[in-house]
Amino acid sequence: DRIIEVRKRLETQFRYSLEKRVQEIFKSISFTPYTPKISSDYQLSLVENLTGTAVPVAASTGENQILSLSFIGATIDRVREWSQKNTLMGLDSSTFPIVMDSPFGSLDEIYRRQVARSIPRLANQLVVLVTKTQWRGEVEQEMKPYIGQEYVLVYHSPKPDCEEDAIELHGTEYPLVKQCSSQFEYTEIVNIDKPRLS
């Protein structure tokens, strides 16, 4: 019974710690007055507390995206902290990479900038997959200093009337969609050479 009670208290303590970190990350990105809450079964919600009573609010698609990002970042942060405190001799298990596919898809310009500014700080290693339109502008400006390596995914289409597309990076044009002569589609990963500073 005591072990069960200790486990319950640790779970509650972890959840409150996680919720606090989710709130910090969400507040640093969002300009809304909403506060994230985590229920006992780890369901995320947003509440508004303008009248002194917490009232649930319907989150927009962008707010849900930021809420999810905040939860992922907070989870990694808390597990990293716990792992560093409780690690034994041997390999460091506190490195947690994040892989994100189109994290800027439904965000407006302000949120895109805020998210692009925040996500490089959430993990030791970050892999971000973005479309050409998502990468342009504020996202590229905010994330450029953190880029270790860049790749372009080139889709080879067997369609005879395929509309080809390309992207320019560091003064060089790279194909994004190409027509191929075979009957099979495939995607090629192309390594981007970063310009050398003189």
Side-chain angles (χ1 to χ4, degrees):
D1 287 345
R2 288 182 188 239
I3 290 172
I4 290 169
E5 183 62 29
V6 167
R7 191 194 71 178
K8 283 180 182 174
R9 288 182 184 189
L10 284 172
E11 283 178 354
T12 302
Q13 182 183 356
F14 178 78
R15 194 174 74 250
Y16 285 139
S17 171
L18 180 65
E19 183 179 74
K20 185 178 178 199
R21 186 65 181 129
V22 168
Q23 291 171 351
E24 290 168 358
I25 295 171
F26 186 85
K27 187 178 179 183
S28 73
I29 298 172
S30 177
F31 50 79
T32 63
Y34 307 147
T35 304
K37 291 288 181 187
I38 300 176
S39 69
S40 58
D41 58 350
Y42 286 87
Q43 286 192 356
L44 275 172
S45 62
L46 285 177
V47 297
E48 188 175 38
N49 199 0
L50 296 177
T51 61
T53 306
V55 178
V57 293
S60 68
T61 305
E63 286 162 346
N64 273 324
Q65 200 165 341
I66 293 167
L67 190 59
S68 298
L69 173 67
S70 301
F71 182 78
I72 291 165
T75 302
I76 288 172
D77 194 47
R78 290 302 174 237
V79 171
R80 181 193 298 126
E81 184 181 281
W82 179 88
S83 179
Q84 288 172 343
K85 283 182 185 173
N86 298 291
T87 189
L88 299 172
M89 297 279 291
L91 294 174
D92 178 14
S93 59
S94 63
T95 301
F96 300 96
I98 296 180
V99 178
M100 302 182 124
D101 186 4
S102 298
F104 310 101
S106 56
L107 301 176
D108 66 16
E109 185 180 328
I110 296 171
Y111 275 164
R112 284 163 50 93
R113 182 176 298 283
Q114 293 291 86
V115 169
R117 188 176 292 157
S118 299
I119 60 176
R121 297 190 297 256
L122 296 180
N124 304 75
Q125 184 180 22
L126 179 67
V127 178
V128 180
L129 302 170
V130 291
T131 63
K132 179 170 75 172
T133 53
Q134 288 175 6
W135 181 245
R136 288 192 289 223
E138 60 280 347
V139 172
E140 182 179 8
Q141 290 168 4
E142 294 295 336
M143 297 192 75
K144 195 177 262 187
Y146 301 100
I147 297 172
Q149 187 58 54
E150 289 177 279
Y151 301 90
V152 169
L153 302 179
V154 184
Y155 175 69
H156 294 263
S157 173
K159 285 179 63 175
D161 58 345
C162 161
E163 185 175 338
E164 296 189 339
D165 194 11
I167 186 170
E168 186 177 313
L169 297 168
H170 311 297
T172 304
E173 191 170 275
Y174 295 90
L176 292 174
V177 178
K178 284 178 74 172
Q179 184 179 3
C180 66
S181 54
S182 74
Q183 61 182 353
F184 302 105
E185 66 175 349
Y186 65 96
T187 300
E188 173 188 11
I189 301 173
V190 177
N191 185 24
I192 304 302
D193 292 323
K194 289 177 80 171
R196 296 187 181 178
L197 299 172
S198 51

